[in-house]
Amino acid sequence: MTTSTRTWAEPYKIKMVEPLKMTTEDERRAAIAEAGYNTFLLKSEDVYIDLLTDSGCGAMSDRQWAGMMLGDEAYAGSANFYRMRDTIESYYSYKYTVPTHQGRGAENILSQILISDGDYVPGNMYFTTTRLHQELAGASFVDVIIDEAHDPASTHPFKGNVDLAKLDALVAEVGAEKIPYICIATCVNMAGGQPISMSNLRALRAWCDRTDTLLVHDMTRVAENAYFIQQREEGYADKTVREIVHELCALTDAATMSSKKDALVNIGGFLAMNDPDIYEKACNLVVVYEGLHTYGGMAGRDMEALAIGITESVQDDHISARVGQVEYLGNRLMEMGVPIVQPIGGHAIYLDAKAILPHIPQDQFPAQALAAALYIDAGVRVMERGVVSAGRDKDTGENFMPKLELVRLTLPRRVYTQAHMDVVAESVQRVMQGAADIRGLKFTYEPDCLRFFRAHFAPVDG
């Protein structure tokens, strides 16, 4: 008896299309030069396939668009807030919710509530805005992710896991009283979209209970992490993604959420928690920075779309297709011999810029140069995740030199087809074949913080 592999297809049909502008190579060369070789500064209309981010640029469903018409735009006590709040408790377990305009609004409020000057916040690899809010509040970030996460070739199935020995070492060095909370991300972005296992999270929960430390969850991509647990961790193959998401969240004390990713909306986020005292402080601060505690920078229609998006995000068919498209692109690239971070992550493919451009030293920003080259080749917009994103040491002023120098190809949810992925793969292959001709870059303008968003570059001489 022979078996065959069935062709995979998206679990939805297309109801509306948005035309894309086609450009010439000369037009793209001019556009990237005008943007200072920073893909963030390109005009959207000049981009063919936009893989810059998956944040807020997914396609909403017909149910979400219908929900937008149910927006209760009352300044106080919107009915959509209560639907969103109840959905968050039902699906994610958290008792209290404070809406924010997006995830970094929640990070700001949480950091101001919990951090004192001189504190240390450990986490499973930094994220740019999260670390900045922690630093602005007076803390220092400490990376406690397992060592395998810094090796792009490692095939460890849960590279988002925390190394508890690193936590013990931090306590021995600074004292438990200087650690206000641990920040744990599900599907760690900067590591390549890599998940944390349920067993590791349980061990971390026990560690926090022993040391009386809060466990805060960056849950931006929690559904993708739950899918990997379902596929890779013993004892979870027969559980639904929804069940795993709830179990995972219930192991943590509070959460920040950028709903523009997993929850399938174009704007919005929230801070969720179980502690009524933290909730009261958050309600006070959200009025200062975002809006009233029942809208927090979101319109009623957006809260309704978010509540519906949460229910859709944990459906097994949806999440398997979402991760499946990422895997399709990753497998095509590996077949072509392109070095990428392994295992393939949940929301993006990460090209190993050090391996592709070994002739460019890291202080000449090889990942930034590779991102610009991909745009020139086919109008594909991607982003740097290396030394530019890592920033500078606030004490010495020297660039952080992360082991991972990556280019992120981020797939928006429910936006592109497999044919678009084929175009992207073929473009990466062409660029890699001409890699020797790519030059490094230097700063011509460097912002003080989060420099990757607005920095300008120029090719180095030679």
Side-chain angles (χ1 to χ4, degrees):
M1 180 177 178
T2 60
T3 59
S4 62
T5 301
R6 289 175 179 250
T7 299
W8 179 92
E10 295 86 350
Y12 52 82
K13 60 182 180 180
I14 297 169
K15 185 175 288 189
M16 183 176 68
V17 297
E18 176 184 347
L20 297 174
K21 176 183 175 181
M22 307 297 290
T23 56
T24 66
E25 183 175 324
D26 286 343
E27 288 172 333
R28 294 192 294 272
R29 286 187 181 277
I32 197 67
E34 183 181 355
Y37 293 85
N38 186 345
T39 53
F40 274 97
L41 301 180
L42 290 166
K43 295 177 181 177
S44 175
E45 65 180 16
D46 293 330
V47 174
Y48 174 40
I49 300 175
D50 201 342
L51 306 185
L52 183 74
T53 180
D54 60 339
S55 180
C57 49
M60 292 203 302
S61 70
D62 53 356
R63 292 179 66 251
Q64 287 180 288
W65 281 109
M68 295 278 279
M69 301 306 296
L70 301 176
D72 174 8
E73 306 307 341
Y75 186 89
S78 166
N80 309 115
F81 165 75
Y82 295 106
R83 274 195 286 275
M84 181 186 73
R85 181 201 64 183
D86 293 345
T87 302
I88 290 169
E89 182 173 5
S90 174
Y91 282 75
Y92 297 148
S93 82
Y94 304 110
K95 296 178 182 178
Y96 306 104
T97 296
V98 176
T100 58
H101 74 284
Q102 60 184 69
R104 68 193 63 174
E107 293 170 353
N108 174 46
I109 292 170
L110 182 77
S111 297
Q112 293 204 40
I113 291 172
L114 296 181
I115 291 173
S116 299
D117 193 48
D119 280 346
Y120 296 84
V121 179
N124 55 344
M125 201 172 284
Y126 82 98
F127 184 67
T128 51
T129 60
T130 311
R131 186 180 68 183
L132 179 61
H133 285 303
Q134 292 164 354
E135 291 174 348
L136 290 174
S140 298
F141 169 78
V142 180
D143 190 1
V144 293
I145 204 166
I146 60 174
D147 291 340
E148 289 88 342
H150 296 281
D151 178 5
S154 170
T155 57
H156 191 292
F158 292 103
K159 290 165 78 171
N161 282 356
V162 168
D163 186 335
L164 298 181
K166 292 181 181 180
L167 277 178
D168 290 334
L170 179 63
V171 170
E173 179 182 354
V174 305
E177 70 280 359
K178 300 299 290 182
I179 302 174
Y181 63 94
I182 296 171
C183 186
I184 190 74
T186 38
C187 269
V188 182
N189 191 349
M190 303 300 284
Q194 301 298 316
I196 182 172
S197 70
M198 194 73 79
S199 61
N200 184 253
L201 188 57
R202 282 200 205 94
L204 181 59
R205 173 75 267 169
W207 189 96
C208 290
D209 290 341
R210 289 196 304 271
T211 59
D212 195 26
T213 306
L214 280 175
L215 183 54
V216 174
H217 179 196
D218 177 351
M219 61 178 296
T220 294
R221 296 182 176 89
V222 65
E224 293 166 7
N225 200 111
Y227 174 78
F228 285 126
I229 289 173
Q230 182 192 66
Q231 298 298 308
R232 298 177 183 175
E233 190 162 1
E234 185 178 355
Y236 286 91
D238 295 328
K239 290 197 173 186
T240 66
V241 167
R242 177 180 176 177
E243 290 170 335
I244 298 169
V245 164
H246 192 278
E247 180 179 345
L248 195 157
C249 292
L251 289 169
T252 66
D253 299 304
T256 60
M257 176 63 152
S258 173
S259 305
K260 298 163 67 177
K261 284 85 167 175
D262 258 5
L264 301 162
V265 291
N266 302 126
I267 196 66
F270 57 82
L271 173 61
M273 67 229 81
N274 295 319
D275 187 317
D277 293 333
I278 296 176
Y279 173 66
E280 182 62 28
K281 293 175 182 177
C283 287
N284 290 335
L285 282 181
V286 78
V287 175
V288 176
Y289 292 106
E290 301 278 331
L292 197 66
H293 66 287
T294 54
Y295 77 89
M298 295 178 67
R301 57 183 174 268
D302 293 319
M303 290 189 283
E304 186 70 25
L306 171 53
I308 296 169
I310 289 171
T311 69
E312 295 179 353
S313 72
V314 298
Q315 294 171 2
D316 285 61
D317 285 346
H318 159 73
I319 200 67
S320 63
R322 190 285 187 279
V323 178
Q325 190 174 53
V326 179
E327 291 175 340
Y328 175 85
L329 176 58
N331 287 329
R332 281 224 61 190
L333 290 171
M334 288 194 291
E335 289 168 3
M336 294 172 171
V338 178
I340 67 172
V341 171
Q342 298 185 51
I344 296 169
H347 71 291
I349 299 301
Y350 291 72
L351 308 180
D352 186 349
K354 283 184 179 179
I356 295 173
L357 303 176
H359 62 288
I360 299 180
Q362 197 170 10
D363 60 3
Q364 291 183 9
F365 316 125
Q368 191 75 37
L370 183 58
L374 283 168
Y375 173 73
I376 292 170
D377 179 77
V380 177
R381 175 158 66 170
V382 296
M383 73 168 296
E384 182 267 5
R385 276 298 184 225
V387 63
V388 177
S389 293
R392 295 185 182 274
D393 187 299
K394 63 182 180 180
D395 296 321
T396 68
E398 295 296 318
N399 284 317
F400 289 115
M401 291 292 181
K403 293 180 180 179
L404 298 177
E405 182 73 16
L406 308 174
V407 170
R408 190 181 77 181
L409 284 61
T410 330
L411 275 60
R413 294 161 182 81
R414 306 191 293 204
V415 171
Y416 293 115
T417 67
Q418 303 297 70
H420 289 107
M421 298 302 100
D422 292 335
V423 170
V424 172
E426 291 162 7
S427 178
V428 173
Q429 184 182 43
R430 282 193 301 271
V431 169
M432 192 171 75
Q433 289 169 347
D437 295 328
I438 299 175
R439 294 157 58 188
L441 299 173
K442 59 185 177 183
F443 278 119
T444 59
Y445 168 68
E446 182 182 357
D448 291 335
C449 59
L450 299 177
R451 61 188 186 180
F452 61 94
F453 282 127
R454 298 179 55 248
H456 288 241
F457 305 86
V460 297
D461 296 333

